[in-house]
Amino acid sequence: MALAISRLTTLTFATLRPSLSRIHRPFLIKRLRCISSFSLASEMSSPEKKTAPYGSWKSPISADVVSGAEKRLGGIAIAGDGRLVWIESRPEERGRAVIVKEPGESEDKPVDLIPENFAARTLAQEYGGGTLAIKDTTIIFSNYKDQRLYKHSIGGSSPVPLTPDYGGPLVHYADGVFDPHFNRYITVMEDCRASSLNPVTTIAAIPFSDGDVQEPKQLISGSDFYAFPRIDPRGRRMAWIEWSHPNMPWDRSQIWVGYFSENGEITQRVCVAGADSALVESPTEPKWSSNGELFFITDRNSGFWNIYKWVEDKNEVVPVYSINAEFTRPLWVFGISSYDFLEKDGVNHIVCSYRKNGQSYLGILDSELGSFSLLETPFSDVSNIVSGKDYFYVEGASASHPLSVAKVTLDDKLAEVKEFSIVWSSSPDLAKYRPYFSTPEVIEFPTEISGQNAYAYFYPPTNGDFQAPSDEKPPLLVKNHGGPTGEAHGILDLNIQYWTSRGWAFVDVNYGGSTGYGREYRERLLGKWGIVDVNDCCSCAKFLVKHGKVDAERLCIMGRSAGGYTTLACLAFKDTFKAGASLYGVADLSLLRAETHKFESCYIDNLVDSEKDYFERSPINSVDKFSCPVILFQGLDDKVVPPDQARTIYKALKEKGVPVALVEYEGEQHGFRKAENIKFTLEQQMVFFARLVGKFDAADDITPIKIDNFD
């Protein structure tokens, strides 16, 4: 099969996108592949470059630079004055999540809105999200330390608690909205007081009062999970989604609408979508337009998440725009906002984006005509969108732009972008590193199932100062994303550039089961976790070897969480890779099922067929098949993948005589947030692979940790 590779540079796509559909696919692949080969050859033959082995190149993109650029977005919203408010986590403040506001005309930098002894982060469903809501100058947020809801006025002195003190972070809140009609706040509430492994989730109302803090009042209960409580502009109705075990929200869910009584109770309700057992769908993201129409996203019939509208008087659901592409993503965190409304001349237009074949397409959807008009911006990857009066903010990135938030202003016809300005960036000072950036190439490779392909982003080694000997192929690091219902994105990520600028090839795999390609692709993993993902990662590495891109003797693999499981499974059940790194990964599937949190407690049953499979697909039960080095990293406060997973496989591999190391971090949960731990993890992976697989000396001055059965 021909090597299917295409560049993801912003300018190229901005130029090519209008004509892509008119180019015959084989010609397009061949043409773009030639462009890639030419550019790589030009880069590698520069007479000004020093010649040194792959992997040994010196790079200014240090682990300090990477860890400093690891700011995360925790949500975006618009304040009453039209300016953006966001939550950012700061590694340099030990991962503290801060609410920040876009500077005004008289301000020269963004303004922190909460005191230093507060952090805005919810632990609902462990993954959080939906921490923040704003109305005019009033902010409601979850405080990380005690998990209580607080009310805070922008520019005010100190936040005031809205919810009771239960003696610890025992009740979590997320995805809330103001209800001005009944002077209250409506939110998803997760109550862990009776059981931390099986908390009770409801939709509750928190009264605004000037006196004592009052107990939340349950409005909706009975299902295992809830999200997206949304109130219509007239205050008569509330929409929400719900789902129950054994489903995840992307498997099956339901959208309901409830009608308020005069005292604010839900007295009548109707299921809008998801009630028909014969129709498989996972509706999500209900939103009311300003004139009271309910829109939402579902994947009924086509298997792709498209935008629909509810016709209330007929209780019918009608498509607004149909295309084999995804308008949203899996609900791993609360507060997703994949679309919003822009009103023009009394007509509600929808600003949204869809994702197709690894590319996001931003545009304006006319809900009356059912037409979609593309908007050209520098972003090729779009996630959250919130709109103002005649503009909107979009969270996005591209191969040349790190994760950022931009303000977009359109012309009077809503047809073209008039102004595009970056308001926030995870890595704002990158210009000096551009000669060291590798541009991702989309690859489509054959899987072990005949006629079935999978996808990945391949990053070739790139450094403006170095080139490798002409007879050498680079080492390869394969990354498999977490979830496993997740997606790799071809964006500018310094975690990847750290490797490629040192002379490593890097590939980020969207194995079967990944999102962004529709339900059929997503469901390749049902009952086959540890098989499809493992085979696809191995097939991708072999594909790159076959086409002369990488060195077959220096193939390494890494992954986080579910990706850590795939990493360990590849090392246990295949002989493709020479070493691996598992970050808070799963070694024992049965132990994970017994210990993990409520949100994912039935997830694994959908991915693993039987008790026999649970045993046979657990790397801990096949330690005798491991033969190559492994390094493990684990947060000791992780409730999603508890520390016993890493400790058990570490002990077993050590006893077997396999080179192995374990790094544990106090105070870290599922994902590392502290700058010093992000840095240490990256550096130790690099030196581990260099020492045991690389056949080169790393250019960085890194003191390696002890490797059992090696040092």
Side-chain angles (χ1 to χ4, degrees):
M1 179 179 177
L3 180 64
I5 294 182
S6 60
R7 284 280 183 181
L8 279 186
T9 53
T10 303
L11 291 177
T12 300
F13 265 93
T15 305
L16 291 179
R17 184 184 295 166
S19 58
L20 282 179
S21 61
R22 297 194 294 272
I23 302 175
H24 187 256
R25 180 178 171 80
F27 174 77
L28 175 64
I29 291 172
K30 181 177 179 181
R31 177 176 176 234
L32 290 174
R33 190 178 73 211
C34 290
I35 293 172
S36 298
S37 301
F38 175 78
S39 61
L40 281 175
S42 299
E43 290 168 0
M44 299 309 293
S45 61
S46 170
E48 302 170 359
K49 294 183 178 183
K50 302 172 186 175
T51 299
Y54 284 116
S56 69
W57 300 348
K58 190 169 184 60
S59 168
I61 305 174
S62 66
D64 279 313
V65 170
V66 176
S67 63
E70 274 284 284
K71 288 192 296 184
R72 303 182 188 182
L73 271 178
I76 57 176
I78 297 179
D81 62 1
R83 285 187 281 158
L84 183 73
V85 173
W86 65 89
I87 298 175
E88 65 179 35
S89 65
R90 296 173 177 171
E92 71 276 13
E93 295 185 34
R94 304 182 68 78
R96 175 176 170 249
V98 186
I99 302 176
V100 187
K101 188 178 182 184
E102 179 184 1
E105 293 182 1
S106 61
E107 298 163 327
D108 58 358
K109 62 180 181 179
V111 180
D112 290 1
L113 296 183
I114 56 175
E116 292 183 358
N117 58 326
F118 284 85
R121 181 183 167 201
T122 178
L123 294 176
Q125 293 182 181
E126 292 300 326
Y127 297 112
T131 303
L132 169 74
I134 298 179
K135 182 175 175 57
D136 299 326
T137 61
T138 301
I139 298 174
I140 307 293
F141 71 96
S142 293
N143 184 45
Y144 175 61
K145 186 176 181 179
D146 58 10
Q147 287 297 291
R148 298 172 74 184
L149 283 179
Y150 283 79
K151 181 180 179 181
H152 184 53
S153 295
I154 295 177
S157 56
S158 185
V160 177
L162 275 181
T163 53
D165 182 355
Y166 296 112
L170 300 175
V171 179
H172 313 144
Y173 308 90
D175 214 3
V177 291
F178 286 83
D179 182 5
H181 312 284
F182 295 99
N183 194 33
R184 61 188 179 177
Y185 187 73
I186 293 180
T187 179
V188 175
M189 184 173 80
E190 182 183 70
D191 190 341
C192 303
R193 285 176 290 177
S195 171
S196 60
L197 284 179
N198 190 31
V200 176
T201 303
T202 59
I203 295 177
I206 316 293
F208 291 135
S209 63
D210 297 328
D212 296 334
V213 170
Q214 300 180 36
E215 281 287 333
K217 182 179 181 180
Q218 290 187 10
L219 289 179
I220 305 291
S221 62
S223 288
D224 289 323
F225 304 98
Y226 295 93
F228 295 110
R230 299 295 184 261
I231 300 168
D232 81 76
R234 299 181 181 92
R236 297 189 303 107
R237 302 160 294 176
M238 180 176 73
W240 69 88
I241 79 162
E242 61 182 58
W243 70 99
S244 291
H245 289 320
N247 293 310
M248 298 300 283
W250 50 83
D251 295 325
R252 279 181 179 267
S253 59
Q254 296 179 339
I255 285 187
W256 287 78
V257 169
Y259 294 83
F260 290 123
S261 66
E262 290 184 358
N263 63 358
E265 300 279 355
I266 297 290
T267 56
Q268 178 188 351
R269 65 184 73 180
V270 58
C271 188
V272 171
D276 185 352
S277 60
L279 183 63
V280 178
E281 64 175 326
S282 52
T284 185
E285 288 200 65
K287 284 188 180 180
W288 300 94
S289 68
S290 60
N291 58 10
E293 290 184 305
L294 180 65
F295 292 79
F296 61 94
I297 297 175
T298 190
D299 59 347
R300 58 171 55 191
N301 299 322
S302 71
F304 289 88
W305 277 311
N306 285 187
I307 297 179
Y308 285 74
K309 183 173 71 173
W310 179 48
V311 182
E312 183 177 14
D313 58 349
K314 298 179 180 178
N315 193 23
E316 291 181 355
V317 169
V318 295
V320 176
Y321 185 74
S322 299
I323 184 175
N324 286 348
E326 305 274 49
F327 279 83
T328 189
R329 56 197 185 279
L331 202 162
W332 279 105
V333 297
F334 290 104
I336 292 173
S337 181
S338 302
Y339 69 101
D340 209 345
F341 301 102
L342 273 179
E343 189 172 332
K344 176 71 174 177
D345 298 329
V347 177
N348 277 303
H349 299 269
I350 299 173
V351 55
C352 56
S353 76
Y354 64 78
R355 191 154 181 82
K356 188 177 180 67
N357 297 331
Q359 173 87 1
S360 292
Y361 297 85
L362 180 68
I364 299 295
L365 176 57
D366 187 319
S367 61
E368 298 297 325
L369 299 177
S371 61
F372 186 90
S373 303
L374 283 173
L375 297 173
E376 292 294 341
T377 75
F379 290 162
S380 61
D381 195 286
V382 171
S383 50
N384 293 315
I385 298 168
V386 294
S387 65
K389 185 177 181 181
D390 54 2
Y391 58 89
F392 62 91
Y393 292 93
V394 57
E395 180 183 331
S398 73
S400 56
H401 288 78
L403 178 63
S404 305
V405 179
K407 182 178 182 179
V408 182
T409 305
L410 304 180
D411 63 6
D412 291 339
K413 296 181 180 180
L414 304 183
E416 294 184 357
V417 174
K418 187 168 66 174
E419 184 178 347
F420 180 95
S421 57
I422 299 295
V423 176
W424 177 91
S425 176
S426 60
S427 311
D429 302 316
L430 294 182
K432 60 186 175 183
Y433 303 121
R434 295 210 175 273
Y436 305 90
F437 288 162
S438 176
T439 301
E441 303 165 5
V442 177
I443 66 170
E444 181 178 351
F445 59 91
T447 69
E448 291 198 358
I449 298 178
S450 178
Q452 196 174 87
N453 293 344
Y455 308 92
Y457 296 98
F458 175 67
Y459 298 77
T462 306
N463 186 307
D465 302 327
F466 287 92
Q467 62 183 5
S470 59
D471 60 348
E472 186 186 3
K473 295 284 190 287
L476 173 69
L477 182 57
V478 174
K479 175 177 173 283
N480 51 94
H481 61 70
T485 309
E487 183 183 359
H489 296 262
I491 65 175
L492 182 55
D493 182 349
L494 292 189
N495 281 284
I496 295 174
Q497 303 300 330
Y498 177 84
W499 294 91
T500 56
S501 64
R502 283 163 173 75
W504 281 75
F506 193 104
V507 67
D508 211 348
V509 184
N510 274 322
Y511 49 78
S514 301
T515 61
Y517 303 89
R519 181 181 282 268
E520 182 179 346
Y521 193 88
R522 192 167 73 241
E523 292 187 343
R524 286 185 188 180
L525 209 59
L526 292 183
K528 298 187 181 300
W529 192 29
I531 298 175
V532 169
D533 50 324
V534 167
N535 288 342
D536 287 359
C537 286
C538 294
S539 295
C540 183
K542 293 175 182 177
F543 180 80
L544 292 169
V545 168
K546 178 181 177 181
H547 289 277
K549 296 289 183 179
V550 299
D551 185 349
E553 299 303 314
R554 294 189 288 176
L555 304 179
C556 300
I557 185 169
M558 67 82 62
R560 302 179 178 96
S561 188
Y565 164 72
T566 300
T567 293
L568 294 173
C570 283
L571 301 179
F573 308 129
K574 300 286 184 177
D575 58 3
T576 303
F577 299 101
K578 306 302 181 183
S582 170
L583 283 66
Y584 39 95
V586 179
D588 186 333
L589 294 174
S590 296
L591 184 63
L592 178 67
R593 179 174 55 174
E595 293 186 341
T596 198
H597 58 138
K598 178 185 175 183
F599 178 59
E600 295 183 82
S601 59
C602 293
Y603 182 32
I604 313 167
D605 288 336
N606 297 329
L607 302 173
V608 184
D609 272 337
S610 64
E611 292 299 324
K612 178 173 178 286
D613 292 323
Y614 267 95
F615 182 87
E616 291 182 349
R617 294 188 208 165
S618 293
I620 190 64
N621 298 322
S622 296
V623 170
D624 58 310
K625 297 179 182 178
F626 279 83
S627 60
C628 62
V630 183
I631 188 167
L632 307 154
F633 300 88
Q634 179 69 45
L636 294 181
D637 291 347
D638 193 337
K639 294 181 181 179
V640 178
V641 180
D644 282 351
Q645 293 278 351
R647 289 171 174 170
T648 304
I649 193 73
Y650 163 72
K651 182 180 178 182
L653 292 173
K654 181 179 177 181
E655 291 176 353
K656 201 242 177 187
V658 172
V660 63
L662 170 61
V663 178
E664 295 181 326
Y665 298 121
E666 290 188 5
E668 291 283 18
Q669 299 170 325
H670 198 65
F672 307 146
R673 292 174 176 267
K674 300 174 184 176
E676 63 269 25
N677 296 337
I678 296 169
K679 174 187 176 182
F680 192 79
T681 300
L682 196 54
E683 289 184 334
Q684 291 304 319
Q685 286 181 83
M686 170 64 73
V687 74
F688 181 84
F689 291 143
R691 293 178 69 203
L692 281 83
V693 179
K695 301 177 184 176
F696 57 81
D697 293 323
D700 303 84
D701 184 15
I702 302 170
T703 301
I705 60 171
K706 179 186 175 183
I707 302 170
D708 294 298
N709 302 317
F710 182 78
D711 291 319

